[in-house]
């Protein structure tokens, strides 16, 4: 499974527009090759109403729940049930973004 991180902002027609200035999205994808995982990551993020500002080129490969950060272990089973899990860590002020 791949872990990909993106910086995104809500699209105008998104339910998040006006509530959040942006988010750092972490997506776990169960896919055989990284190029396809990046294509899927873009699709899933945009499908949730977010515009990608930056998709990090660096990614992580996770082979077991033990390798996952404690905050993300709860999503492990979801990845294999649905093929992916998408977590948005939103911020609503510029100061929050600069402090992360």
């Amino acid at each position: 499974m791949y872990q990909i991180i993106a910086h995104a902002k809500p699209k105008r027609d998104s339910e998040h527009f006006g509530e959040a200035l942006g988010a750092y999205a972490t997506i776990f994808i169960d896919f055989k090759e990284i190029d396809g995982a990046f294509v899927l990551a873009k699709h899933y993020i945009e499908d949730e109403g977010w515009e990608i500002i930056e998709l990090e080129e660096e990614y992580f490969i996770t082979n077991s729940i033990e390798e996952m950060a404690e905050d993300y272990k709860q999503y492990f089973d979801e990845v294999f049930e649905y093929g992916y899990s998408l977590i948005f860590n939103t911020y609503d002020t510029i100061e929050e973004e600069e402090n992360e």
Side-chain angles (χ1 to χ4, degrees):
M1 143 177 55
Y2 296 103
Q3 177 184 351
I4 298 170
I5 299 170
H7 185 200
K9 65 180 183 180
K11 295 178 183 176
R12 284 200 172 276
D13 60 350
S14 167
E15 65 183 87
H16 305 287
F17 189 79
E19 293 179 14
L21 287 179
Y24 288 92
T26 300
I27 185 163
F28 294 95
I29 297 182
D30 182 29
F31 201 74
K32 294 206 180 282
E33 54 103 48
I34 190 59
D35 291 335
F38 272 108
V39 170
L40 287 171
K42 290 177 191 176
H43 167 75
Y44 292 134
I45 292 168
E46 291 171 352
D47 194 48
E48 288 292 323
W50 295 84
E51 178 183 331
I52 297 172
I53 297 169
E54 177 185 14
L55 191 61
E56 292 187 10
E57 292 180 19
E58 183 178 357
Y59 60 89
F60 303 94
I61 299 172
T62 304
N63 294 311
S64 69
I65 194 168
E66 291 79 21
E67 295 177 359
M68 295 180 82
E70 196 63 40
D71 292 347
Y72 295 133
K73 287 183 179 182
Q74 62 184 321
Y75 304 106
F76 186 80
D77 292 333
E78 184 178 306
V79 175
F80 294 104
E81 183 175 344
Y82 300 106
Y84 74 100
S85 185
L86 180 55
I87 304 104
F88 289 96
N89 297 297
T90 62
Y91 58 88
D92 57 7
T93 64
I94 298 300
E95 292 80 31
E96 264 184 73
E97 178 186 12
E98 290 174 353
N99 290 330
E100 288 189 8

